[in-house]
Amino acid sequence: VFFKNLIFFAILVFVLMFLFYIIYVIYIKNKKMSETTKKIMPSATLAINTKAKNLKNSGVDVINFAAGEPDFDTPEHIKRAAIEKINSGCTKYTQTRGIPELIEAIRNKFKKDNKIDYKDSEIIVSSGAKMVLYEAIFAITNPGDEILIPDPYWVSYPSIVMLASGVPKFVKTKNFKLVPEEIEKNITKKTKALIINSPNNPTGAVIDKKDLMEIADIAIKNDLIVISDEIYEKIIYDKQHESIASFPEMKERTITINGFSKSYAMTGWRLGYAAAKEEIIKEMLKIQEHSVSCIPYFVQYAGVVALNESQKCVSDMRDEFRKRRDYVLKRSSELGMPCCKPEGAFYAFMDHSEYNKDSMKFSEFLLDTARVAIIPGIAFGSLGESHIRMSYANSMKNLEKGFLNIEKAIKTIK
Ligand SMILES: Cc1ncc(COP(=O)(O)O)c(C=O)c1O
């Protein structure tokens, strides 16, 4: 009887401890975490990129088509300018908005390239286009405000909106083109803004001027703010880039986002900028004052040189991307993975439904079998399913090798 009671007592203690642990995990430990950040998913593009890098570090020959950054080095004259500024002691805090030389260079760039006249007070420089997007979205969003995001979308938009206590609402595209009727269908009393991104990540689509004008009309009619992410402005192949803020009555309701990461192969420098009416920029400045403070002087000075000196480095990179785009288009169609012709950026969004409809499984299969890292389309929204995003910011040699590997791998499926 004594042993029976002892075993019973031990089981009882074990069960109680287990229950206490469950209660601790669910109610106490998790409660310590923010309800807002719990809703946010880690970036899927960075996750695959990291997995590919880890495989590579462990000696596996992985070809990386996942990275969203040019494979070119930052042009020499830009690097040199930053080094000179470091050597001459420009290593202290700067103005929160950005150094006057850079603000002036950005103002001139908007005037020359985009036909928009901004004042210095309507411009802000921050830590990459991502940070200016944060500041822009936080500056305009009240809890419950709806922000329209065309699907497929760049992975960070919905997370930033949710972090700002807004509600992302996804707008369907047709053949990856933004259709004005679909925008109107999603507008409610709570709609605050619409994000547009042309050239687009992940599809490479560019919004036609005619469609952009219709979007502008919708924004004016419904009193919406437009956040226009133009980070791929300079990587455009067959069309002229159009900035929606240059259309009549649009400057005051548009926040134009841009940066140096893609055009000048400066992803690691973390330099981006935005332009909008002064009231919005003032709010963005407050966020900046209490977060990043300012961007390093030498980084900003590199931006001045990038904008003010010859743009040949930009056109050289674009010409190389165009060659690769044409090659990727040809090979993807030969392999039965068609893709809408990318008109800009450096991504091909390929339809792999002939082989497998699950983009997560298909990209895992490609990583394991073909040793190529590619982002599953589902990471970019529900309309991205059955697609993979291949970044052709990689050498022609690697593209050729990668496609040969993919060809061999998919032969094992058929
Ligand atoms: C559409 C889009 N917007 C913004 C960014 C962020 O760029 P940055 O490196 O300047 O923060 C990216 C980067 O991949 C992007 O693809």
Side-chain angles (χ1 to χ4, degrees):
V1 170
F2 173 74
F3 276 113
K4 235 176 160 182
N5 282 347
L6 193 67
I7 290 170
F8 174 75
F9 185 70
I11 292 174
L12 190 69
V13 168
F14 178 77
V15 169
L16 283 174
M17 280 172 69
F18 182 70
L19 280 177
F20 179 75
Y21 177 72
I22 299 286
I23 290 167
Y24 170 73
V25 168
I26 294 176
Y27 292 104
I28 302 174
K29 198 170 167 212
N30 275 355
K31 260 206 166 145
K32 284 185 185 158
M33 300 302 143
S34 146
E35 292 302 324
T36 313
T37 53
K38 264 193 251 164
K39 286 186 229 152
I40 307 298
M41 297 298 286
S43 161
T45 51
L46 290 185
I48 291 261
N49 227 344
T50 309
K51 194 172 168 186
K53 276 185 181 152
N54 288 344
L55 272 172
K56 208 160 189 169
N57 287 344
S58 64
V60 181
D61 185 17
V62 174
I63 305 174
N64 193 346
F65 297 134
E69 61 182 348
D71 53 314
F72 307 108
D73 196 5
T74 304
E76 272 313 309
H77 66 290
I78 299 177
K79 291 198 286 187
R80 218 173 24 245
I83 293 165
E84 277 165 18
K85 288 294 170 189
I86 293 177
N87 287 339
S88 60
C90 297
T91 52
K92 301 289 163 60
Y93 290 137
T94 72
Q95 292 88 335
T96 306
R97 180 192 302 284
I99 57 172
E101 304 94 298
L102 182 54
I103 300 293
E104 187 189 352
I106 293 169
R107 181 163 43 76
N108 291 338
K109 182 250 170 241
F110 271 121
K111 198 166 186 171
K112 187 164 131 276
D113 293 352
N114 312 103
K115 314 280 172 285
I116 316 170
D117 251 320
Y118 283 112
K119 291 186 279 192
D120 288 1
S121 55
E122 293 173 322
I123 296 170
I124 185 170
V125 170
S126 193
S127 179
K130 202 179 246 180
M131 191 62 197
V132 267
L133 269 162
Y134 256 87
E135 292 173 353
I137 292 172
F138 271 78
I140 61 161
T141 308
N142 285 312
D145 280 351
E146 292 171 358
I147 312 274
L148 303 180
I149 302 175
D151 178 356
Y153 46 79
W154 178 52
V155 289
S156 294
Y157 298 141
S159 302
I160 302 175
V161 170
M162 284 192 278
L163 285 170
S165 304
V167 180
K169 277 197 82 184
F170 301 107
V171 177
K172 279 190 191 146
T173 52
K174 271 195 191 137
N175 295 327
F176 304 137
K177 295 266 179 195
L178 192 51
V179 191
E181 302 88 75
E182 284 295 330
I183 302 175
E184 284 193 301
K185 243 197 236 170
N186 283 283
I187 295 176
T188 70
K189 280 191 193 127
K190 290 184 179 168
T191 311
K192 186 62 149 301
L194 161 72
I195 299 181
I196 57 172
N197 170 218
S198 175
N200 180 271
N201 177 6
T203 64
V206 171
I207 306 177
D208 292 329
K209 185 169 184 186
K210 184 182 127 297
D211 291 338
L212 212 52
M213 286 173 95
E214 284 185 54
I215 294 168
D217 286 345
I218 295 172
I220 294 166
K221 197 171 93 194
N222 295 281
D223 194 19
L224 301 184
I225 294 170
V226 175
I227 299 176
S228 181
D229 181 347
E230 303 180 14
I231 186 88
Y232 294 99
E233 171 190 11
K234 299 284 175 187
I235 308 171
I236 190 162
Y237 308 113
D238 315 307
K239 281 185 176 155
Q240 180 78 25
H241 175 76
E242 298 286 346
S243 283
I244 199 164
S246 68
F247 295 175
E249 293 175 61
M250 284 306 291
K251 188 185 153 210
E252 54 272 30
R253 60 173 67 255
T254 304
I255 309 176
T256 306
I257 308 286
N258 212 324
F260 297 79
S261 289
K262 319 288 175 174
S263 313
Y264 299 95
M266 289 175 72
T267 46
W269 296 67
R270 313 307 304 128
L271 190 61
Y273 56 91
K277 64 177 175 184
E278 211 174 305
E279 290 102 297
I280 294 179
I281 297 291
K282 257 189 189 163
E283 299 308 299
M284 293 171 70
L285 274 168
K286 286 190 219 163
I287 302 170
Q288 179 131 307
E289 274 170 10
H290 296 290
S291 55
V292 293
S293 299
C294 64
I295 311 308
Y297 187 98
F298 48 90
V299 170
Q300 293 192 60
Y301 194 76
V304 175
V305 169
L307 288 179
N308 288 352
E309 298 209 354
S310 163
Q311 300 299 296
K312 188 174 176 304
C313 54
V314 178
S315 55
D316 283 352
M317 285 190 259
R318 183 177 51 232
D319 290 347
E320 183 57 36
F321 281 138
R322 184 188 278 110
K323 275 188 220 150
R324 298 175 191 177
R325 187 269 316 251
D326 293 343
Y327 176 75
V328 168
L329 213 52
K330 175 174 148 290
R331 287 296 277 142
S332 64
S333 112
E334 281 169 6
L335 298 190
M337 295 192 292
C339 116
C340 287
K341 188 177 183 180
E343 297 166 313
F346 39 70
Y347 308 109
F349 209 51
M350 306 186 296
D351 179 347
H352 58 78
S353 51
E354 198 183 316
Y355 303 101
N356 187 329
K357 297 209 179 330
D358 184 323
S359 60
M360 203 68 168
K361 286 202 175 120
F362 191 64
S363 51
E364 271 167 18
F365 163 80
L366 290 180
L367 186 57
D368 295 338
T369 320
R371 292 299 187 208
V372 296
I374 298 193
I375 308 286
I378 191 70
F380 305 97
S382 60
L383 291 189
E385 188 51 303
S386 294
H387 290 75
I388 43 173
R389 188 199 76 175
M390 172 186 259
S391 160
Y392 48 87
N394 206 325
S395 67
M396 205 60 167
K397 194 167 145 246
N398 278 340
L399 283 168
E400 283 166 3
K401 188 167 172 226
F403 269 108
L404 274 179
N405 289 1
I406 296 172
E407 188 166 13
K408 278 188 220 149
I410 55 182
K411 272 188 186 150
T412 63
I413 305 177
K414 273 197 156 177

